[in-house]
Each structure stands twice: as C-alpha cells, then as structure tokens.
Amino acid sequence: MNLKHAQYVLTILREGSFTAAARKLYVSQPSLSQTIKQLEATLGTPVFNRTSETLKLTYAGQRYVDAAQRIMIIYDNLLSEIEDMKQEVHGRLRLGVSMQRGMNLLPLVLPVFMEKYPRVEIELEEYGSDKLEKMVLEGSCDIALVTTNPKVNQLEYILIETEQLVLMASNTTDIARRFVEGTRIEITEAVNEAFVSLKPGHSIRVIQDRLFAHYNMSPKILLESDSFETAKHITARTNAVMITPYVYIENVPVLRSLVKCFPIQNSGYERDFYLCHRKGLYFTRYMSDFLSMIKTRIGTYRMDATV
C-alpha cells in the first residue's frame, strides 16, 4: 500500500471534503484529486462515491480505509520504536482532551512533561469525549483523556480516576448554612434552592436531569449556560447551587472560598476518567511518562462524610 495514498484518503475522510483536505495537506485540490484518481486506477474501482451529495466511501473504499488505518498505526509504531531504539527523546504526541479537563489538568502536567521532554512536539485537540474517541480510532490522535464508558472495541481504556459528583453551593444559600462542608447529602435537600445548570447536551446536564426525575424534583433553574467556567463562577457569586464533578473546582482556591461542597448521596451517576488509545499502539517512553504524570498530578482528595 502506498502510504501517501493512504494518508490522502484518510485526510479527505476526516476533513469531509477534497477542498478542506487539500488545505490540511498543503497541496492543491487538482493535485489531490489526481492522486486519488491514480489510486482508483491502481485498485480498478472507485474509492469515493462521487454521485452522492455528501462525501461517502464505496464498499471498496471502506475496505481500503480499514486496511489503511491499520497500516498507518503499524507505520507510526515502527517510527516510534526506532526512535526509542536510537534513544533520542524527541517525537510528537497528538493529545486529545476536553476543554474543561484541559483547563484543570494540563497546567499541572505539561510544564513537568515539557521540562523532561523539551524536544517532544505536542499537538493538542480539544473536543468532547465522543469526538476524541473517534479521532483516536481514525488515527488523528495518539491518546485522549476522556470521560466516558468504554464502548469502542478497537480502543484500550486505562482508568485514571472515578469522578465524584458534588453539590456546589454558594456560602449564602440555605443549604450551606445548614450543613458542614463535606457532608454527604441527598439531592432532595436542595429542592428549594435555585440551580445554575449547563444547557442540554452536556453530560452533567444529563446526570442532573436523571437525578431530578428519579427524585421527582422540579427546582428553580436560575440560569443555563454552555460554559462550565461561567456556570460555576456565577453559582459561587449568587444565591445558587450547581451539580459538578469535584475535580473541576478542587484546585481553584478563589472559587473554593466562596462555596461549600457536598458529595451527593446515592447519586449512582459517578463518571470514569480514562486515557484511551487504539489497541496495538506502541507506547513510547514519553507516552508512558505522560500517563504516569497524569496519575501523579491528578487530584486524589475525596470529600467523605464528616458528620
């Protein structure tokens, strides 16, 4: 298999069009189209269905892509293994992470990593967990930090931690006056509080809606936001509460001084945080060290019941 042809087909598929792929590959669109025609002539069959409105693979094209993805993984693994054998600590780490997780975790990890591996180039992709899993599967990310349930058979999931959900309450709320920081509570204790909420589509909003439905609650929603940062800072500075993973607020001293946090009893909706990669990926020394740094630096403090 011609690796250039494979790279071009995978890029077209990932970018969604010949035009976008040409920009990504720094080639002209006519040159890219000509390369694909050469490939199709070699195969004796079309790779892309040019009669459909959207870019789709033919059956032969899908089989080619399946093989190309496996071969590109093998090729990348070979290059990584050779670099390790040469004992040269340089390379490239294509890292995926959600924006909120990145804001909390990367400032703690990357300075340490970059000091140890100054010649390793980091390519950062910031998307939701579902898209990151797809990018790892397609080979456009080496590893991704995702909050999910393992569901893709071709991916390996390494558990980093189980997130703990808490009710974050402004110090001015009734619930903050009634309970000591860290007390494990039923969500029904906040039925009369005003909630700041993420908008539908966010995983925390899904958990919140399920909790409310389970306990037949319809509390007041003070505000909905698409931004986790906006939501948590508004909560802290208004007479409101918010459901959040504790990891998103534990390392923010200014915020912690304005709120109390209460683990939610019997929520049944804890989320697992994983590092995922495609099965068979060759783990370089710097990838292994990156994982170790994540495990070392990530918050391990848990709010257990104190009363």
Side-chain angles (χ1 to χ4, degrees), residues 170-174 177 193-195 222 234-241:
S170 166
N171 289 334
T172 61
T173 58
D174 177 66
R177 290 191 291 267
E193 302 287 356
F195 278 75
L222 180 67
I234 288 177
T235 300
R237 290 166 174 81
T238 58
N239 191 38
V241 300

Side-chain angles (χ1 to χ4, degrees), residues 68 82 85 94 137 157 193 219:
I82 289 173
M85 287 189 295
R94 297 176 299 174
L137 189 60
Y157 294 85
E193 302 287 356

Side-chain angles (χ1 to χ4, degrees), residues 109-282:
V109 175
L110 288 189
V112 181
F113 180 84
M114 290 175 173
E115 182 177 358
K116 185 171 183 179
Y117 296 105
R119 296 169 64 187
V120 173
E121 178 186 356
I122 297 175
E123 294 182 6
L124 188 62
E125 300 284 358
E126 297 174 291
Y127 295 102
S129 293
D130 286 346
K131 182 167 184 178
L132 290 175
E133 285 176 297
K134 182 179 179 182
M135 292 178 72
V136 173
L137 189 60
E138 292 173 345
S140 55
C141 262
D142 298 317
I143 59 177
L145 301 171
V146 296
T147 305
T148 186
N149 295 314
K151 57 183 179 292
V152 182
N153 290 333
Q154 298 96 321
L155 299 184
E156 191 79 32
Y157 294 85
I158 302 172
L159 181 64
I160 297 175
E161 71 162 350
T162 297
E163 293 181 348
Q164 183 182 38
L165 290 182
V166 299
L167 183 76
M168 183 182 78
S170 166
N171 289 334
T172 61
T173 58
D174 177 66
I175 198 168
R177 290 191 291 267
R178 288 192 292 123
F179 292 100
V180 175
E181 164 86 7
T183 302
R184 191 171 295 276
I185 64 169
E186 296 277 359
I187 192 63
T188 52
E189 294 287 353
V191 67
N192 294 320
E193 302 287 356
F195 278 75
V196 171
S197 171
L198 294 178
K199 290 183 178 179
H202 292 268
S203 59
I204 293 298
R205 175 59 183 267
V206 172
I207 293 171
Q208 173 184 293
D209 290 348
R210 288 176 180 172
L211 274 172
F212 288 172
H214 179 77
Y215 289 98
N216 197 26
M217 291 174 56
S218 299
K220 176 183 178 182
I221 303 298
L222 180 67
L223 179 76
E224 291 183 332
S225 176
D226 261 326
S227 166
F228 211 106
E229 287 297 301
T230 298
K232 67 187 186 183
H233 284 282
I234 288 177
T235 300
R237 290 166 174 81
T238 58
N239 191 38
V241 300
M242 176 184 178
I243 296 173
T244 174
Y246 185 62
V247 67
Y248 286 176
I249 60 175
E250 63 179 326
N251 293 317
V252 189
V254 173
L255 191 68
R256 291 295 286 114
S257 68
L258 299 174
V259 301
K260 288 184 179 179
C261 292
F262 309 104
I264 300 173
Q265 179 121 354
N266 301 322
S267 71
Y269 299 109
E270 285 74 17
R271 308 192 308 169
D272 288 329
F273 182 52
Y274 295 92
L275 181 145
C276 76
H277 62 85
R278 191 179 178 95
K279 288 181 178 177
L281 175 71
Y282 177 79

